[in-house]
Amino acid sequence: MPSDLSNYLANKYLVADAKPKKKKRKQATASSGLLITDDDDGSWGQTTQGDDDAEDGPVTVIGASAEFRRAKKNNWKSLGADNATKDKDEAAAADAILASAAAESAAARAEDEEMPLVEGSPSVVKMSDGTHAGLQSAATVSAQLRRRQQEERKEFERHRKNATEEETVYRDATGRRIDISMKRAEARRAGAEAAERERLAKEALKGEVQQAEARARREQLEDAKLMPLARGADDEDMNRELKAQERWNDPMAQFISGSGGGGKESTGKGRSKRRPAYAGAAPPNRYGIKPGYRWDGVDRGTGFEAERFKALNRIKRNEGLDYAWQMDE
């Protein structure tokens, strides 16, 4: 590539022109030379021959200066095959120099890594990170850091193999040693006692009926563990539970004795002594008679009982107001 580029530049831009003809240098005349003219002079660069006595005229310096001489040596260089070969030789020489420098640095690094540490030497001053103090190369510092890490790793492994873990010792405010196992057992016992006290307090808030239902529920759950998954119509336990249920709209409940009669007292013949009564709210009357158990809750009276109670209440209220007015006077 360098040779092609050199040929291209030489062909396109470095075409040598015809050698110029040498001209004979004319002798410098008395009138030619360097002119020194003031800046204020309007006739700069023009020679005045007639006015020799003018004080402000230009001063003519006879002689030639070396700065204005034309250079005879040609500084242009032609690019060609010789230059390309020379560039290749220079590149190869530069590569060889770089390779030798890299080899020297690698050798110096290996030498620094293999350099033993003189721990007991008084001239060696070590810093906190394990490296030596003073002016050192980067490879030397890296080697020292790596050796420090290896030593720490070996020390840690040796300590882990030989050391045995000790149980933590706990002490109270007075400095006496505390037995953790006993304290844990006491804490578990105290927690169990607190839970039992809380359970008993909740049970004490319940009535006997609620406690009996809770016990029955627990027994049912215990029995359900042994109960088969499929229950048919001939299951005795299921039929017994269905028969024991009380329904408010059961027309035969009043004729059934025992627990099926809603807990009512029964005679030997199976008939109950208590008559059915209306259990809902009903308007009062002067005789205190309750409606029948078949009443639908609609008051079909004339409203006389309500007006009577209003009149009685009005009379009692007026009596209280009269007494209050008399006390105010």
Side-chain angles (χ1 to χ4, degrees):
M1 184 65 185
S3 61
D4 298 339
L5 180 60
S6 300
N7 296 332
Y8 177 80
L9 293 175
N11 295 331
K12 295 295 183 180
Y13 299 101
L14 299 179
V15 178
D17 297 335
K19 190 172 182 180
K21 298 181 180 179
K22 292 184 179 181
K23 296 181 180 180
K24 293 183 180 181
R25 188 174 181 180
K26 296 181 179 180
Q27 296 294 332
T29 59
S31 63
S32 63
L34 181 63
L35 300 179
I36 299 175
T37 309
D38 292 339
D39 294 339
D40 296 337
D41 188 8
S43 61
W44 183 84
Q46 298 178 1
T47 58
T48 58
Q49 298 178 359
D51 194 2
D52 294 337
D53 297 334
E55 296 180 358
D56 296 335
V59 180
T60 304
V61 179
I62 301 173
S65 176
E67 296 177 358
F68 294 95
R69 294 177 182 175
R70 186 175 298 174
K72 297 179 179 180
K73 185 177 179 181
N74 188 7
N75 294 328
W76 291 93
K77 294 181 181 180
S78 60
L79 299 177
D82 296 338
N83 293 332
T85 306
K86 188 175 181 181
D87 293 339
K88 290 182 179 179
D89 296 339
E90 292 178 356
D95 295 338
I97 293 172
L98 293 176
S100 62
E104 290 178 0
S105 61
R109 190 182 301 107
E111 183 180 357
D112 292 335
E113 293 179 357
E114 295 176 359
M115 181 183 63
L117 288 175
V118 184
E119 299 293 342
S121 177
S123 61
V124 177
V125 180
K126 297 184 69 175
M127 294 187 292
S128 60
D129 57 353
T131 58
H132 294 180
L135 183 60
Q136 303 176 72
S137 62
T140 304
V141 175
S142 301
Q144 292 172 3
L145 291 175
R146 283 194 296 271
R147 282 196 294 270
R148 174 67 178 274
Q149 292 176 359
Q150 292 175 2
E151 291 176 359
E152 291 180 352
R153 191 178 298 107
K154 291 179 182 178
E155 182 67 21
F156 175 73
E157 293 293 338
R158 183 169 58 256
H159 178 73
R160 189 179 63 177
K161 291 179 181 179
N162 299 331
T164 57
E165 296 182 0
E166 297 182 359
E167 186 178 359
T168 306
V169 178
Y170 297 92
R171 299 182 184 276
D172 57 5
T174 60
R176 292 181 298 179
R177 187 168 180 173
I178 302 174
D179 191 355
I180 300 301
S181 59
M182 293 180 61
K183 286 293 183 181
R184 289 175 180 172
E186 291 177 0
R188 286 194 295 268
R189 185 165 54 253
E193 292 177 358
E196 183 65 19
R197 287 195 300 270
E198 185 178 358
R199 187 185 66 81
L200 293 177
K202 289 182 179 180
E203 291 291 337
L205 298 176
K206 297 180 181 179
E208 296 181 356
V209 177
Q210 292 177 338
Q211 294 179 3
E213 291 179 353
R215 285 194 296 269
R217 180 60 179 170
R218 285 195 295 270
E219 292 176 358
Q220 290 179 0
L221 293 176
E222 291 294 333
D223 296 340
K225 295 179 181 179
L226 305 176
M227 187 182 300
L229 182 61
R231 302 179 67 182
D234 56 348
D235 192 341
E236 297 180 359
D237 296 336
M238 184 178 64
N239 293 331
R240 191 184 307 110
E241 291 176 1
L242 294 177
K243 289 180 181 179
Q245 292 180 2
E246 296 181 1
R247 299 172 178 83
W248 66 272
N249 57 352
D250 188 1
M252 295 298 295
Q254 57 181 341
F255 303 107
I256 298 176
S257 61
S259 60
K264 303 176 183 178
E265 297 179 1
S266 60
T267 61
K269 297 181 181 180
R271 300 180 64 88
S272 176
K273 293 181 180 180
R274 296 171 56 182
R275 293 184 179 181
Y278 184 76
N285 53 61
R286 76 185 78 174
Y287 306 107
I289 301 175
K290 295 183 178 180
Y293 69 96
R294 292 190 179 91
W295 184 51
D296 57 357
V298 179
D299 187 5
R300 294 178 177 85
T302 59
F304 176 78
E305 298 292 337
E307 293 294 335
R308 179 176 176 277
F309 282 112
K310 288 180 180 180
L312 293 176
N313 292 334
R314 190 182 306 107
I315 292 172
K316 183 177 287 189
R317 186 178 68 254
N318 292 337
E319 290 178 357
L321 292 175
D322 292 341
Y323 179 75
W325 290 340
Q326 293 176 4
M327 295 299 296
D328 290 339
E329 293 176 357

